Amino acid sequence: MKVVVIGASGTVGKSVVEELGKRHEIVTVGAGSGQYRADFTDIAQVRAAFAQIGKVDAVVVAAGSLHFAPLADFTPEQFYVGLNSKLMGQVNVALVAREYLNDGGSITLTSGIVADQPIRNGASATMVNAAVEGFVRAAAIELPRGLRINAVSPTVLEESMGSYGPFFIGFEPVAGKRVALSYARSVDGAQTGQVYRAW
């Protein structure tokens, strides 16, 4: 299969590329690195990238920015960081990917454990991740041509504890290679409308 991985240079993305690359041809896309460049918050850039890439069998998104802060200090602008990036960025990819996926192809988006288990400073993260999962469940019943869509909900990665550890005290981190298996389950499997919890 030909698989597009958006956010391939990130911590999750690297593990996904390594796992899927064992079986599939990988095409990497990123805002600042990759074989093709696109800021996925701009649907025009997403369209331009897919026009260059052409037909594919699967699309994985392992990208998206979020703002963490106490709720008392949160501004609407800070909420829009996650809404524009991790939510609408992934929705943009899903909307464009429909046109370029071969029949029976798949889309895999990324949510996160805080959709189910909120943390301090994570009101935006919980809101955005839950919205991603809601979109996946709803889109799954409307996609044409046997197209599938799922989400992977990772917990904090072992490789990310240096950056995110203080937010996830008491959470058991998992290795990136274990999280990547959930993406493989989505890409290589048959289910749709699922949220694979990589906890």
Side-chain angles (χ1 to χ4, degrees), residues 127-188:
M127 176 180 72
V128 167
N129 286 326
V132 169
E133 294 179 7
F135 171 75
V136 163
R137 285 192 295 267
I141 67 173
E142 293 194 60
L143 285 174
R145 301 186 292 108
L147 299 180
R148 301 182 298 109
I149 185 168
N150 298 300
V152 174
S153 173
T155 187
V156 63
L157 270 63
E158 290 174 356
E159 295 90 336
S160 301
M161 285 300 283
S163 302
Y164 293 104
F167 293 105
F168 289 93
I169 293 170
F171 287 72
E172 182 178 357
V174 301
K177 64 182 180 181
R178 182 181 155 203
V179 169
L181 293 175
S182 292
Y183 290 88
R185 189 175 169 193
S186 178
V187 170
D188 290 282

Side-chain angles (χ1 to χ4, degrees), residues 31-67:
S33 63
Q35 294 163 266
Y36 298 88
R37 303 294 171 86
D39 175 353
F40 73 167
T41 65
D42 180 354
I43 197 168
Q45 291 190 38
V46 176
R47 286 197 176 104
F50 273 95
Q52 290 180 285
I53 296 166
K55 290 289 188 178
V56 299
D57 300 295
V59 176
V60 173
V61 187
S65 298
L66 292 164
H67 186 79

